[in-house]
Amino acid sequence: MPGYEVMGPEELAEIQDIFARGAILFRHGFDALRGDCYKVREFEQAFAQAMGSPHALAVSSGTAALRVGLAALGIGAGDEVITQSFTFVATVEAIIESRATPVCAEIDATLNMDPEDLKRRITPRTKAVIVVHMLGTPSRLPEIKALCDAHGIALIEDAAWGCGGSLNGRALGSWGRLGTFSFDFAKTMTTGEGGLVLFQEQADWARGAAWHDHGHENNPAVPRWEDTRASSGFNFRMMELQGAVGLAQLRKLPDIVKAQRRNRELLWQAIHDLPGITPREVPAGSYETADALVFFVQDNAAARRCREALLARGLATKILPEAYTWHFAGTWTHMPELAAAHGGELATAFPQSAAWLSRAVSLPVGVKLREEAPALARQALIEALQLQEVSA
Ligand SMILES: *Cc1c(COP(=O)(O)O)cnc(C)c1O
C-alpha cells in the first residue's frame, strides 16, 4: 500500500519544476520551450539504473506495459503465452489483446508459478512465459528461467508486485528478457496511473518504444511530424507529470520496502507461534517487497473466519480471501479465450491452485503500522482459529 502513504513535498517539487521550466507536459519535442526538462526520460534512466538493467520504457499503466512487452517480442495470433492461475486479470487481458492464446499454469506453496506444471503445459506454439511475483514474493526464477532457455521461450516477469524486490541479489523484473511494472495507486511506488517495461535487449526496447507511440521511431534526424516508422502501434505514452512523480517515488522506494519488511516482521512475530498457521513458502535468496503478510490456515472456512475477526478489530485482509475472484483464473468465466484454452471448464481447471488459495489469508502491510495492530491481529486469529491464549 505504500507509495501513496509517503506522497509529499518531494513529488510536488518535481511537478513544480516542470512548470518552472516551461510547463511542457508531453514527453517528446517542444525542445525550445522546455528548458531541457524531460521528466519521463529522466525517470526511465533512473529506473533502469536502479534495477541494474540497460533499457526502460515508461508507459501509461502496468496493463499497457504487458501489452507493449508482448508487442515488442512480436507475439500475436497463433502463439501461446503461459502465465499463472493466480494473478490479476490484467496479465491474461494483455495476452488476449495481443491475439495470442492465454494458458494458465498451477501455482504451488509459494503462491507463484509451479515449474513442474509449467513444464507440462509447454507446446511447440509457446512463445513466452509470464511469471508474476504475486503479493511481493519472488517466483521460482532460476528453475523457470532454465526451462524457458532450454525451450527457446521468452521469459517475461510481471513485476507489478515485485518493484524493489530481488532474488539472489538480482532485481525482480531484470531476470527475464523483459519485466513489467505497475505504478497504479495501490502499488509499492506510484505515479497515480503508470507502468514501465524493463528491457535487457536494445532491439526489444526499440520495437516496444515505437509500438507504444504509434510506431514513431523518434528519429533524431527529422522533426516528429516527419518521423520514420517501421510498424504500426498504439498510444500508451506516459506524460511528464507522471514521470515527475515517479522520480520522487523511486528515490523513496528502498525505504518504502524496508519499512514494509519491518512492519511485516512485527505482524508475523505476533502470530507465527499460533497453531494452525503455516507460512507461505519463499524461494531461497528472496528479498521480498512485503506488501502483504501471507499464510495458510486449515481450510476456507477458517480463512473466512480470520477475515471476519480481523475486520471486527479494524484490520483488513488483502486479496485473500476476499478478492479471490479478481485474482484466480478458475473464476474467469467472462474470458472465453481463456476458457477455450482450458477445455471450456475453468472451475475445475486448476485444482492444485484452488487448494492453496482457498485456505490462504493475506494481511496488507504498509509503510505505516498502527502500534496496536500486531496485538490485535493476534487476538483476531486466536478467536478465528478457536484457540485459547495461554498466559505465562
Ligand atoms: C496491478 C497489476 C497489474 C496492472 O497494473 P495497472 O497499472 O493497474 O494497469 C498487472 N499485473 C498485476 C499482477 C498487478 O497486480
Side-chain angles (χ1 to χ4, degrees):
M1 289 205 297
Y4 72 78
E5 294 176 282
V6 297
M7 193 67 71
E10 300 80 8
E11 286 77 3
L12 184 59
E14 285 287 351
I15 287 178
Q16 281 170 332
D17 189 43
I18 302 176
F19 283 81
R21 291 159 73 182
I24 300 303
L25 304 186
F26 189 56
R27 67 164 296 167
H28 294 298
F30 301 89
D31 297 319
L33 300 175
R34 63 194 307 153
D36 204 29
C37 180
Y38 296 88
K39 294 296 184 189
V40 174
R41 198 188 292 175
E42 204 187 319
F43 175 49
E44 289 170 341
Q45 286 163 358
F47 195 92
Q49 191 178 16
M51 299 298 153
S53 292
H55 310 282
L57 177 72
V59 296
S60 52
S61 73
T63 312
L66 287 159
R67 179 66 190 91
V68 171
L70 291 168
L73 300 183
I75 287 166
D79 299 333
E80 287 172 4
V81 178
I82 305 178
T83 186
Q84 60 199 50
S85 66
F86 181 44
T87 181
F88 182 52
V89 284
T91 322
V92 172
E93 287 170 339
I95 301 169
I96 293 172
E97 274 300 305
S98 70
R99 283 172 283 152
T101 301
V103 177
C104 290
E106 297 269 25
I107 56 164
D108 61 21
T110 62
L111 296 186
N112 286 326
M113 188 182 284
D114 176 358
E116 290 305 313
D117 192 61
L118 168 62
K119 202 184 293 178
R120 288 190 282 273
R121 292 182 199 257
I122 291 173
T123 77
R125 298 203 301 156
T126 307
K127 288 286 156 33
V129 168
I130 308 180
V131 294
V132 191
H133 310 299
M134 275 306 276
L135 296 158
T137 296
S139 303
R140 297 191 192 278
L141 282 165
E143 296 91 325
I144 293 170
K145 185 166 167 36
L147 261 177
C148 288
D149 289 348
H151 287 85
I153 296 168
L155 175 62
I156 298 175
E157 293 171 80
D158 179 342
W161 285 85
C163 189
S166 63
L167 185 75
N168 298 339
R170 188 161 156 192
L172 299 182
S174 75
W175 280 72
R177 181 157 159 192
L178 56 88
T180 66
F181 295 83
S182 163
F183 308 129
D184 80 23
F185 211 55
K187 296 305 203 287
T188 314
M189 58 168 273
T190 181
T191 58
E193 296 278 6
L196 183 141
V197 192
L198 200 61
F199 294 95
Q200 300 305 318
E201 294 176 30
Q202 147 86 24
D204 292 347
W205 168 81
R207 276 191 303 273
W211 196 86
H212 105 294
D213 187 16
H214 305 295
H216 269 285
E217 290 180 323
N218 286 289
N219 185 337
V222 290
R224 192 170 154 88
W225 60 88
E226 289 174 6
D227 201 3
T228 50
R229 54 194 175 265
S231 75
S232 154
F234 217 71
N235 174 8
F236 286 121
R237 289 185 305 256
M238 180 180 267
M239 74 183 292
E240 292 288 281
L241 295 174
Q242 295 162 299
V245 174
L247 276 167
Q249 287 266 303
L250 180 62
R251 290 193 281 266
K252 298 178 181 181
L253 179 64
D255 286 338
I256 292 174
V257 173
K258 269 184 218 150
Q260 293 188 154
R261 290 171 60 89
R262 184 190 59 229
N263 289 338
R264 190 179 67 165
E265 187 57 24
L266 288 171
L267 285 167
W268 179 238
Q269 283 310 320
I271 63 167
H272 76 281
D273 62 324
L274 296 175
I277 289 184
T278 331
R280 174 188 194 178
E281 200 175 308
V282 178
S286 290
Y287 184 80
E288 301 169 83
T289 65
D291 278 299
L293 170 60
V294 187
F295 54 87
F296 301 108
V297 293
Q298 192 190 344
D299 54 26
N300 189 245
R304 296 258 159 208
R305 283 199 308 274
C306 290
R307 172 171 158 75
E308 297 307 311
L310 287 161
L311 283 181
R313 286 167 181 79
L315 301 174
T317 51
K318 183 173 187 176
I319 295 190
L320 299 168
E322 80 277 18
Y324 182 78
T325 60
W326 279 98
H327 297 87
F328 177 46
T331 68
W332 295 343
T333 49
H334 66 300
M335 292 179 163
E337 300 87 349
L338 182 67
H342 289 277
E345 199 39 78
L346 288 173
T348 52
F350 313 107
Q352 179 181 315
S353 306
W356 286 113
L357 291 171
S358 65
R359 59 191 193 86
V361 177
S362 157
L363 306 190
V365 176
V367 172
K368 296 169 185 156
L369 183 72
R370 283 163 56 201
E371 201 182 326
E372 60 279 20
L376 288 172
R378 182 178 180 88
Q379 269 180 24
L381 297 183
I382 285 172
E383 178 188 290
L385 303 174
Q386 293 153 343
L387 306 169
Q388 303 256 299
E389 183 74 287
V390 183
S391 51

